[in-house]
Amino acid sequence: MARDTSDTTPLTTRVELIDWFAAGEKPRADFAIGTEHEKIPFYVETREPVPYAGERGIRSLLEGVGRETGWEPILDAGHVIGLAGQAGGAISIEPGGQFELSGAPVADVHATATELDEHLAATKRVADGLGIGFLDLAMSPKWSRAETPAMPKSRYKIMAGYMPKVGSLGLDMMLRTATVQVNVDFASEPDMVRKLRASLALQPVATALFANSPFTDGRPNGFLSRRSEIWRDTDPDRTGMLGFAFDEGFGYEGYVDWLLDMPMYFVKRGDTYHDVSGASFRDLMAGKLAQMPGEYATVSDWANHASTAFPEVRLKRFLEMRGADVGDAGMIAAQAAFWVGLLYDEASLDAALDLVSGWSATEREAIRATVPRSGLATPVPRRSLGAVAAEALAIARAGLKARARRDASGRDETIYLQPLEAIVAAGRSHAEDRLADFEGPWKRSVDPSFTHCRFA
């Protein structure tokens, strides 16, 4: 997230909190796709992480990309911490320097792929001059947490102070992981609920298909998606599979109640972030926040609070898919195609819900707990997750065909599913391929990953 919301309209009732989510509803004809991805920078010559400051640091990279693209700088206490594009896209930096593109809302996966290619090309033109490359792995394979530089972003300082109080791996999540996320729209509350339930249940399928973080501290870490496992010990108050979303009668109200029970990180007033970590949003609404007595909640506060929830699928004024490791450009586009195919065609959404309808809450949690280590071999009721992935891909392909969105060459969006179909056919994720490389041609060293697992 490159920029916090700025809206000082006061919020005084719970209904207003619910209405904030409902305002995200769109006519189906206006549904768009937003794709976000993070990539870990490193110095090509030394394979060392890139600090914020210095002639070849992250700030210089941001400023260079700004000149290249014409995007405007986003500042935090005088530090350039992102760039804002004219069409709604943005670039931001994550706590450990991960360079993130938050794509603009676009009409189809073809536009997502074009946007991604243009971003990677512009970034490469600047990064090459600074001697910087970017890993397409979802966790830095070599550097320790202590060796990873922290970025000067105010909200991250507050999060870094709070994370160790609620979990043991939150700092690893912040500093050493990288993900790809896809944002999809909903037409109504029932439509949101259907999409949320289908995508929550199938999020472990995405985790298995996109697993790409098998190394930590210079050696295999025992997982295919260590990034996914890290989230299981980050902060139980704001993560997880949202079992309550499957309760009868669930809707915006149920999600609002969950957010109200979730402790806050900060309140932003002007350009200042006030650390209120652990405090209640209910107290802020009542003007009884101990750290800021007499201060009342605004729309900005609610939007910013909602952005600090990290479940496997996050509801804002759209739905954000959060279960996948980042990969190369083809895998980033594949993530968008996978979820658009499943969720934007009614017949495919029905089929996706049918695919997971027999799973209990206990079974969904067990799948989520097992998939970071076992990937496509994870057991699910009566079969493997690999078999479910094959069916989900077939459903997504049918949904994309039904959309019939074609590029200039007449190809529909199903072309972007090909990397995932290859993974299912082989029964092996990219993480498993990288582990085989480690044991074979890489001669039990992660150093070759800086050459072989790099954005072109």
Side-chain angles (χ1 to χ4, degrees):
M1 184 175 179
R3 178 179 280 162
D4 291 316
T5 300
S6 180
D7 185 338
T8 58
T9 304
L11 290 174
T12 58
T13 69
R14 187 162 161 273
V15 170
E16 290 172 308
L17 308 182
I18 294 167
D19 288 345
W20 185 84
F21 287 106
E25 296 172 0
K26 289 184 179 178
R28 293 182 185 278
D30 294 340
F31 281 1
I33 308 160
T35 305
E36 309 175 31
H37 80 275
E38 303 160 3
K39 46 197 174 294
I40 297 169
F42 66 95
Y43 287 126
V44 174
E45 184 177 359
T46 62
R47 302 182 182 122
E48 294 175 343
V50 181
Y52 177 79
E55 293 182 359
R56 298 170 57 220
I58 294 293
R59 177 168 185 150
S60 296
L61 178 63
L62 281 168
E63 291 173 339
V65 173
R67 291 190 295 270
E68 184 75 22
T69 61
W71 288 18
E72 295 294 325
I74 301 170
L75 301 178
D76 181 346
H79 300 290
V80 180
I81 49 89
L83 301 168
Q86 294 81 9
I91 291 171
S92 60
I93 49 174
E94 292 298 300
Q98 304 95 315
F99 207 72
E100 178 177 5
L101 172 68
S102 297
V106 297
D108 53 42
V109 186
H110 303 303
T112 291
T114 298
E115 175 190 58
L116 176 60
D117 288 344
E118 291 173 349
H119 165 76
L120 291 175
T123 302
K124 179 177 171 57
R125 287 193 292 270
V126 178
D128 283 353
L130 300 173
I132 293 173
F134 296 94
L135 288 165
D136 66 18
L137 293 170
M139 186 165 188
S140 54
K142 187 172 184 177
W143 321 309
S144 68
R145 185 194 295 173
E147 291 171 323
T148 305
M151 298 296 107
K153 199 168 177 179
S154 299
R155 65 187 281 163
Y156 294 160
K157 294 177 184 177
I158 294 170
M159 292 171 63
Y162 182 72
M163 287 284 187
K165 301 175 183 178
V166 292
S168 67
L169 298 176
L171 296 180
D172 279 329
M173 177 278 293
M174 293 178 67
L175 294 168
R176 300 207 280 175
T177 65
T179 186
V180 55
Q181 299 160 356
V182 175
N183 304 327
V184 300
D185 290 318
F186 48 85
S188 63
E189 186 172 32
D191 186 45
M192 180 279 292
V193 172
R194 281 162 47 80
K195 287 173 177 171
L196 181 61
R197 288 173 174 170
S199 56
L200 276 169
L202 288 171
Q203 213 60 219
V205 171
T207 300
L209 287 170
F210 291 86
N212 193 32
S213 47
F215 306 118
T216 308
D217 297 330
R219 57 186 181 273
N221 53 38
F223 294 87
L224 302 178
S225 177
R226 177 62 175 167
R227 182 208 62 84
S228 179
E229 177 66 14
I230 283 170
W231 276 108
R232 296 202 324 116
D233 191 7
T234 292
D235 183 345
D237 289 326
R238 64 188 74 236
T239 61
M241 290 288 283
L242 302 183
F244 61 86
F246 295 84
D247 293 345
E248 185 176 354
F250 170 79
Y252 299 133
E253 185 176 4
Y255 194 84
V256 164
D257 287 342
W258 179 68
L259 283 181
L260 287 172
D261 289 335
M262 185 184 83
M264 299 179 69
Y265 281 150
F266 62 85
V267 172
K268 187 179 182 185
R269 290 294 178 265
D271 294 329
T272 302
Y273 290 79
H274 298 271
D275 186 348
V276 300
S277 51
S280 165
F281 198 89
R282 289 185 175 90
D283 286 345
L284 179 61
M285 289 187 72
K288 297 178 180 179
L289 200 64
Q291 298 93 329
M292 301 177 69
E295 197 68 40
Y296 288 85
T298 68
V299 170
S300 289
D301 296 327
W302 185 236
N304 291 334
H305 185 56
S307 77
T308 65
F310 307 121
E312 292 298 286
V313 181
R314 178 163 61 186
L315 174 63
K316 295 201 281 191
R317 284 177 162 173
F318 47 81
L319 288 168
E320 182 181 77
M321 311 293 116
R322 298 179 51 83
D325 287 1
V326 79
D328 61 23
M331 291 295 281
I332 293 170
Q335 165 86 331
F338 180 71
W339 290 115
V340 168
L342 286 171
L343 302 177
Y344 272 6
D345 175 72
E346 281 299 300
S348 290
L349 180 54
D350 286 341
L353 286 164
D354 287 343
L355 183 61
V356 299
S357 63
W359 297 356
S360 67
T362 300
E363 288 166 337
R364 288 192 299 269
E365 290 293 342
I367 295 166
R368 168 68 184 93
T370 306
V371 72
R373 190 184 296 273
S374 299
L376 294 169
T378 298
V380 300
R382 297 173 296 282
R383 51 187 163 170
S384 72
L385 196 63
V388 176
E391 287 196 45
L393 278 173
I395 294 168
R397 173 172 279 274
L400 295 174
K401 279 191 170 296
R403 275 168 55 84
R405 303 291 182 91
R406 301 189 180 278
D407 65 9
S409 300
R411 302 175 301 175
D412 66 25
E413 295 164 303
T414 60
I415 59 173
Y416 302 104
L417 292 178
Q418 291 173 3
L420 303 182
E421 291 169 338
I423 286 170
V424 167
R428 292 169 58 86
S429 65
H430 286 183
E432 290 162 285
D433 291 338
R434 298 293 80 79
L435 287 166
D437 290 336
F438 178 85
E439 295 294 342
W442 293 2
K443 299 179 181 178
R444 297 190 60 80
S445 170
V446 298
D447 284 352
S449 69
F450 290 86
T451 300
H452 296 283
C453 304
R454 176 179 170 185
F455 280 94

